[in-house]
Amino acid sequence: MNAFNSYYIFLLIATFFFSCTHDTEPSVYNTNGEVYNSAYRPQIHFSSKYNWINDPNGLVYYDGEYHLFFQHNPFGSGWGYMSWGHAVSTDLIHWTQLNVALKPDTHGDIFSGSVVIDKNNTAGFGENAMIAIYTSAGSSQAQSIAFSTDRGRTFIKYRDNPVLKNPGKPDFRDPKVFWHELTQQWIMSLATGQTISFYRSPNLKEWTKLSEFGLGIGAHDGVWECPDLFPLTFEGKIKWVLLVSINPGAPNGGSGTQYFIGDFNGTTFTTDAISDPTWLDYGKDNYAGITWDNIPELDGRRIQIAWMNNWEYAGAIPTYSPGNNGSRSSMTLPRELSLGRNSQGHLFLRNKVVSEIERIASEWKTVTNENIENKKNFTLDLGNKKAYHIQLTTTLSKEQTLTLSLQNATGETSQAQINNVSERIYFYRNNSGNVSFSDLFTKMSFGPFSYNSDPVTLDLYIDQSSVEIIANDGALTLTNQVFPASIYDRISIQTNIGSVPVLVKLRTFDSIWK
């Protein structure tokens, strides 16, 4: 028996041993069913058919499919037995969940990481092999790889894992890898405590440290996690963006994602001058987001998705299906990231929902187009749909505020407020529905929104258990979970003083599970 065969027999034995320590995982097939119609189940967001999920992993496009791997416990609705779940989509909206892609082994649990397409066969696993680079979380954290030659349906773990051993750091994880064309090498961004370390490799197997970023820069109230370094073109020039998730230390408490804009020369990342941390999303529930690799050049977009939860209460939120294998947590809608310039002349990261959302949207209907003084109530014509999009456009003076309340028949209410006095947009969910599972869940969130005399547009994407607010085409976003007993099917609009011009439009969404 040669060494190659004996190694893979060992893998089969190890897989059997680890699998037998748990009950058989529930099937993810037959996605049309009651499990996708239950209370709180997102109708336009990806969630696992059963069990716990957290960070998105291994986002890659290949052969007509968007791959979404994710942190997953195949055996329960709480965090544990960390594996990589797997789903695919041809349009970023409708998802088919596949078998679990990677499970724990003798090196430990499978923590976060990334996937690349090895077009030039640098690793020797085959041209266009799909290669996962992930953290093996055993007695210490190290980086390992696995490869697939069947479009990600099965993976084989590399026999000489780990490929990047831990130099003695307690936090050494979440590799995000891409091919750097200019220097003809693989670049890895790795979370290393309170910094991001950059490594290079010719073949994904041998890694050399290049540099480290983060000391004295940005927010440091919690551990740095899930980095992502990528280029964006703005005004004819290439700028580099580094996403860094942090927990705790977000502007409204718990988990959040900061970002840095600067330059990368193949060795070091240098940020443009900043005075304060800049945040991707000011809601309570947008974390650990990374972007898809290998998007076709003809498309050209940088597309991101994030975990819609917060470690302050992640394990306590209601499940979407009953029983010990209840589905818990979901992903945000996919977002397109681009650069903009604010009124102070500084670059910022704009993020808005991808255009593919149009595929499940109805025609727009006008709810109201009038001047509103004090308060006015409206009933929404949702038909039997459980997700919808409200677009509100208004113009306010410096002294005015406008509050949009989402309500249902039992009086449960979530509120979005444009407040020009404080120059903020607020979201309140203290009376939004089921909030009993955590006192921290009831706290409001807000983001900075400088006043000017231009019209303000809020796009609100409302699902059975979330409200995503996109202000002024992605200049500011607030993502928050809510758990009302029934979908919000009425709204009220209230002003503090004077009359305000308000245009509200509505469209509904088909469920992605039907």
Side-chain angles (χ1 to χ4, degrees):
M1 182 183 296
N2 62 39
F4 182 88
N5 288 334
S6 62
Y7 171 69
Y8 288 105
I9 288 175
F10 166 77
L11 272 186
L12 290 173
I13 294 172
T15 300
F16 176 80
F17 172 78
F18 279 99
S19 297
C20 288
T21 60
H22 293 269
D23 295 333
T24 302
E25 62 196 79
S27 173
V28 298
Y29 297 108
N30 302 319
T31 57
N32 294 332
E34 286 302 312
V35 69
Y36 283 96
N37 297 323
S38 55
Y40 306 140
R41 171 69 74 171
Q43 295 300 296
I44 59 173
H45 296 79
F46 174 78
S47 59
S48 176
K49 186 172 185 180
Y50 299 107
N51 298 320
W52 168 274
I53 66 172
N54 58 287
D55 307 0
N57 299 150
L59 305 184
V60 70
Y61 178 87
Y62 181 65
D63 195 22
E65 291 180 322
Y66 296 91
H67 291 261
L68 167 62
F69 300 90
F70 49 92
Q71 290 286 280
H72 182 46
N73 179 357
F75 302 107
S77 57
W79 188 93
Y81 195 77
M82 280 294 96
S83 309
W84 273 24
H86 188 194
V88 294
S89 173
T90 59
D91 64 359
L92 290 167
I93 301 298
H94 300 87
W95 295 95
T96 299
Q97 190 169 348
L98 305 178
N99 289 330
V100 174
L102 295 170
K103 294 181 180 179
D105 55 27
T106 55
H107 296 297
D109 280 4
I110 312 297
F111 275 14
S112 291
S114 51
V115 168
V116 297
I117 304 301
D118 191 9
K119 299 176 182 178
N120 300 319
N121 193 23
T122 64
F125 300 134
E127 184 179 332
N128 289 319
M130 183 179 289
I131 302 179
I133 309 98
Y134 59 91
T135 297
S136 292
S139 57
S140 65
Q141 297 171 359
Q143 315 321 309
S144 296
I145 61 175
F147 67 93
S148 171
T149 55
D150 61 358
R151 298 167 54 242
R153 269 54 181 181
T154 58
F155 280 87
I156 299 173
K157 293 173 182 174
Y158 179 49
R159 62 179 302 164
D160 291 327
N161 279 335
V163 295
L164 178 55
K165 296 181 179 180
N166 193 316
K169 293 179 177 290
D171 299 299
F172 191 71
R173 60 176 181 264
D174 308 340
K176 184 64 161 68
V177 175
F178 69 95
W179 178 255
H180 190 242
E181 191 67 31
L182 186 63
T183 57
Q184 291 290 291
Q185 61 188 351
W186 297 102
I187 299 294
M188 175 192 293
S189 305
L190 193 68
T192 48
Q194 291 275 317
T195 61
I196 302 302
S197 296
F198 299 104
Y199 288 79
R200 65 173 173 85
S201 174
N203 56 14
L204 297 169
K205 299 173 179 177
E206 301 162 293
W207 294 92
T208 302
K209 186 174 180 179
L210 293 171
S211 60
E212 199 163 341
F213 170 83
L215 291 175
I217 302 172
H220 286 275
D221 290 338
V223 66
W224 284 22
E225 297 185 309
C226 304
D228 190 2
L229 178 68
F230 54 86
L232 288 175
T233 301
F234 183 70
E235 296 180 346
K237 297 181 180 180
I238 298 294
K239 297 296 292 185
W240 287 81
V241 177
L242 176 63
L243 303 181
V244 178
S245 291
I246 181 172
N247 177 58
N252 288 299
S255 315
T257 301
Q258 59 183 323
Y259 66 88
F260 306 89
I261 300 172
D263 299 291
F264 180 69
N265 62 8
T267 300
T268 59
F269 173 78
T270 305
T271 186
D272 295 347
I274 60 171
S275 55
D276 299 304
T278 47
W279 300 95
L280 182 69
D281 191 289
Y282 283 85
K284 292 282 289 184
D285 297 307
N286 186 313
Y287 191 62
I290 56 172
T291 62
W292 264 273
D293 194 50
N294 203 45
I295 297 289
E297 286 187 21
L298 287 176
D299 183 316
R301 292 176 297 173
R302 179 60 58 168
I303 302 170
Q304 188 236 28
I305 201 170
W307 179 42
M308 194 171 0
N309 214 335
N310 191 308
W311 281 116
E312 286 187 332
Y313 42 73
I317 66 168
T319 59
Y320 310 141
S321 53
N324 295 330
N325 296 112
S327 173
R328 177 172 273 140
S329 203
S330 65
M331 299 298 170
T332 66
L333 288 172
R335 311 271 183 90
E336 178 184 355
L337 304 183
S338 60
L339 292 174
R341 195 180 296 279
N342 63 23
S343 57
Q344 290 77 42
H346 302 306
L347 292 181
F348 71 93
L349 193 57
R350 185 187 300 276
N351 72 105
K352 61 182 182 179
V353 174
V354 293
S355 60
E356 283 86 345
I357 196 71
E358 304 290 334
R359 300 185 182 188
I360 59 172
S362 69
E363 296 294 323
W364 286 105
K365 295 181 179 179
T366 299
V367 176
T368 186
N369 185 9
E370 61 182 303
N371 289 332
I372 292 179
E373 189 172 1
N374 297 321
K375 183 178 181 179
K376 193 161 185 179
N377 301 316
F378 304 91
T379 299
L380 303 179
D381 180 13
L382 301 181
N384 61 351
K385 301 304 171 69
K386 301 298 183 181
Y388 60 95
H389 180 185
I390 283 180
Q391 186 178 82
L392 180 150
T393 302
T394 187
T395 303
L396 304 175
S397 70
K398 184 66 177 73
E399 295 77 26
Q400 288 180 313
T401 68
L402 183 145
T403 303
L404 170 65
S405 298
L406 305 168
Q407 304 166 334
N408 61 18
T410 61
E412 295 169 333
T413 304
S414 291
Q415 294 180 316
Q417 183 185 86
I418 307 167
N419 191 318
N420 277 349
V421 179
S422 63
E423 295 191 322
R424 291 173 173 175
I425 291 179
Y426 293 89
F427 185 77
Y428 299 90
R429 60 180 181 183
N430 54 299
N431 188 38
S432 57
N434 183 357
V435 298
S436 61
F437 52 87
S438 172
D439 291 340
L440 294 173
F441 187 82
T442 61
K443 294 184 177 180
M444 61 86 175
S445 56
F446 66 87
F449 197 74
S450 299
Y451 167 76
N452 62 52
S453 59
D454 295 334
V456 177
T457 297
L458 295 188
D459 287 281
L460 293 89
Y461 295 84
I462 296 128
D463 206 338
Q464 290 204 122
S465 55
S466 63
V467 178
E468 289 172 274
I469 301 174
I470 315 290
N472 282 4
D473 201 33
L476 176 75
T477 63
L478 295 96
T479 301
N480 289 280
Q481 297 179 96
V482 292
F483 298 97
S486 59
I487 193 76
Y488 302 126
D489 58 1
R490 58 204 71 188
I491 64 172
S492 70
I493 298 171
Q494 185 172 4
T495 63
N496 62 336
I497 56 172
S499 178
V500 174
V502 177
L503 169 62
V504 176
K505 297 191 296 183
L506 167 74
R507 60 180 181 174
T508 58
F509 294 122
D510 294 333
S511 172
I512 65 174
W513 307 118
K514 297 178 180 178

